[in-house]
Amino acid sequence: GQNIDQPTEMTATEGAIVQINCTYQTSGFNGLFWYQQHAGEAPTFLSYNVLDGLEEKGRFSSFLSRSKGYGYLLLKELQMKDSASYLCAVRDSNYQLIWGAGTKLIIKP
Amino acid sequence: SQTIHQWPATLVQPVGSPLSLECTVEGTSNPNLYWYRQAAGRGLQLLFYSVGIGQISSEVPQNLSASRPQDRQFILSSKKLLLSDSGFYLCAWSAQGSNSGANVLTFGAGSRLTVL
């Protein structure tokens, strides 16, 4: 079966750095996505990786290692508004998105 | 710019009653349309997707159905709701014909359904 694993919950301090990991076992691979979802709201797109390496986008960066079936989302200079759930998703060989359960990130002052 | 509207935002329905959730997209033509359900502690579950008018693919067998009567309209329905249908329902769209590249999903605001 296809599976996406990410931690259920993480806590970090305002101004710090946090790394949210995602490991996957899927039928083929056509990209890894990160979405942010604030409580009670819709997910919004953050990043996309299809080649190995680090993609940087302001305070947020995303990394992929296809050989390890692994990626992570790195958030720097954390702000209170970054408190949200972060969803990892992988597009498989049928171009269907397989979603992780999400990581709830709690930011403390 | 493209926008997606989904309604109602919340609803409380008795078991056995019908359901209709509606989603419309503006500012684009021939989008791919999706209905997802999100349960606490679980990943987004794809219920239905559509690549064109009248073309519906069902991913999970259940008492829900979907229809696409117009290019930018997607409706999720049920004739008789079950308790297990409670959840957060999300409509989404993506650009047609671009499976490569990011082809980002854009979600509606969601509909929270409680079945009592």
Side-chain angles (χ1 to χ4, degrees), chain A residues 92-104:
Chain A
D92 68 12
S93 56
N94 293 319
Y95 294 94
Q96 296 297 320
L97 279 176
I98 311 301
W99 294 85
T103 298
K104 182 178 181 180

Side-chain angles (χ1 to χ4, degrees), chain A residues 66-79:
Chain A
R66 288 172 296 171
S67 62
K68 295 182 179 178
Y70 164 74
Y72 66 71
L73 180 69
L74 189 72
L75 292 78
K76 303 176 186 175
E77 300 170 18
L78 286 170
Q79 302 174 10

Side-chain angles (χ1 to χ4, degrees), chain B residues 58-69:
Chain B
S58 174
E59 292 297 307
V60 184
Q62 49 203 306
N63 69 320
L64 299 172
S65 62
S67 61
R68 186 170 178 172

Side-chain angles (χ1 to χ4, degrees), chain B residues 24-92:
Chain B
T24 59
V25 180
E26 296 177 358
T28 187
S29 296
N30 200 24
N32 294 324
L33 295 172
Y34 307 82
W35 278 110
Y36 281 92
R37 178 164 59 201
Q38 187 174 36
R42 299 183 66 179
L44 288 172
Q45 180 186 36
L46 179 63
L47 301 175
F48 301 95
Y49 71 93
S50 172
V51 299
I53 296 174
Q55 300 179 61
I56 310 293
S57 296
S58 174
E59 292 297 307
V60 184
Q62 49 203 306
N63 69 320
L64 299 172
S65 62
S67 61
R68 186 170 178 172
Q70 300 180 46
D71 180 44
R72 289 168 288 179
Q73 183 185 26
F74 206 24
I75 298 171
L76 182 69
S77 304
S78 174
K79 293 182 179 178
K80 287 186 177 182
L81 284 168
L82 306 173
L83 285 174
S84 58
D85 291 325
S86 293
F88 191 50
Y89 289 82
L90 289 158
C91 180

Side-chain angles (χ1 to χ4, degrees), chain A residues 6 33-35 37 43 85-89 99-103, chain B residues 38 44:
Chain A
Q6 54 181 129
F33 296 77
W34 288 97
Y35 282 76
Q37 186 177 24
S85 288
Y86 292 85
L87 312 181
C88 175
W99 294 85
T103 298
Chain B
Q38 187 174 36
L44 288 172

Side-chain angles (χ1 to χ4, degrees), chain A residues 24-45:
Chain A
Y24 61 89
Q25 300 91 38
T26 56
S27 302
F29 176 84
N30 282 294
L32 186 146
F33 296 77
W34 288 97
Y35 282 76
Q36 181 190 58
Q37 186 177 24
H38 286 99
E41 298 182 8
T44 55
F45 171 74

